[in-house]
Amino acid sequence: MALICQKMHIYSNKPLKLEPEKALLTGLLADIGLFGLINEYSHFIEQGNYLDFNIAKYIFQENCALASKIVLSQWGFDSDYIAVATNPITTNHDSDISYLTIARMTHHFLLFKTNNAAAMNEHEVELDLAGAEVMYELTNMSELEFNNQLKQITHSYGI
């Protein structure tokens, strides 16, 4: 998310109120609720109980966003973090790029990188011209250049 955020700053013709550092952190914390759910599942199993993994997986998928929202709210994170974690359906077509838009772009790009055409067809992301230019650049970037840019990001932000 930080890389896409940085690229948006380059291509956008208007100032953005997005910080690559915050984009990185929103992405890292987006599924924080899943860790709690998996931890509880693990305790449940350790206590000698049984739950088919397919049922557990369904529970994880259905409750991850809510669990993440609860955790992030309790920890005092702002609405940007909660929006990325819950991925709400947006009906208004706001022209401002948000962290949620960056997250959706990142998800779409990762589907592209994994050659998951079926999932890409089901996933929609609304882009402005700057967003389209970013996606075009990233999808046409060599693997070596992409990895170098990711290394720069991780180095820049101390990861």
Side-chain angles (χ1 to χ4, degrees):
M1 285 184 57
L3 179 59
I4 288 178
C5 188
Q6 280 183 344
K7 298 285 184 191
M8 287 298 294
H9 280 282
I10 293 168
Y11 285 104
S12 182
N13 60 0
K14 57 185 175 185
L16 298 176
K17 298 176 184 175
L18 303 175
E19 305 164 8
E21 298 90 348
K22 186 174 180 180
L24 177 64
L25 192 55
T26 59
L28 291 173
L29 293 174
D31 291 327
I32 193 72
L34 182 60
F35 294 102
L37 293 170
I38 290 173
N39 187 45
E40 287 303 312
Y41 173 72
S42 176
H43 288 305
F44 184 76
I45 299 301
E46 286 172 1
Q47 293 171 349
N49 299 305
Y50 174 78
L51 180 64
D52 182 76
F53 184 72
N54 288 325
I55 295 171
K57 195 167 110 177
Y58 174 80
I59 292 169
F60 298 156
Q61 289 171 339
E62 293 299 312
N63 292 291
C64 180
L66 177 59
S68 294
K69 179 180 179 178
I70 292 167
V71 169
L72 293 171
S73 296
Q74 288 291 318
W75 288 352
F77 283 91
D78 66 30
S79 60
D80 294 326
Y81 290 88
I82 294 169
V84 171
T86 57
N87 192 20
I89 296 171
T90 52
T91 53
N92 61 337
H93 300 289
D94 194 4
S95 62
D96 288 339
I97 299 295
S98 67
Y99 291 101
L100 179 58
T101 307
I102 299 292
R104 289 175 176 166
M105 290 172 66
T106 303
H107 181 74
H108 199 76
F109 178 68
L110 291 173
L111 293 174
F112 171 81
K113 292 291 281 181
T114 59
N115 293 317
N116 193 339
M120 276 186 69
N121 289 338
E122 293 177 15
H123 183 261
E124 293 182 19
V125 61
E126 196 168 310
L127 303 174
D128 62 3
L129 179 59
E133 288 174 327
V134 168
M135 296 300 277
Y136 179 80
E137 178 185 342
L138 292 174
T139 56
N140 288 293
M141 188 178 287
S142 73
E143 195 69 28
L144 179 64
E145 178 62 22
F146 177 71
N147 288 333
N148 285 337
Q149 289 195 23
L150 283 183
K151 285 178 187 174
Q152 276 184 297
I153 294 277
T154 55
H155 181 69
S156 296
Y157 301 120
I159 296 177

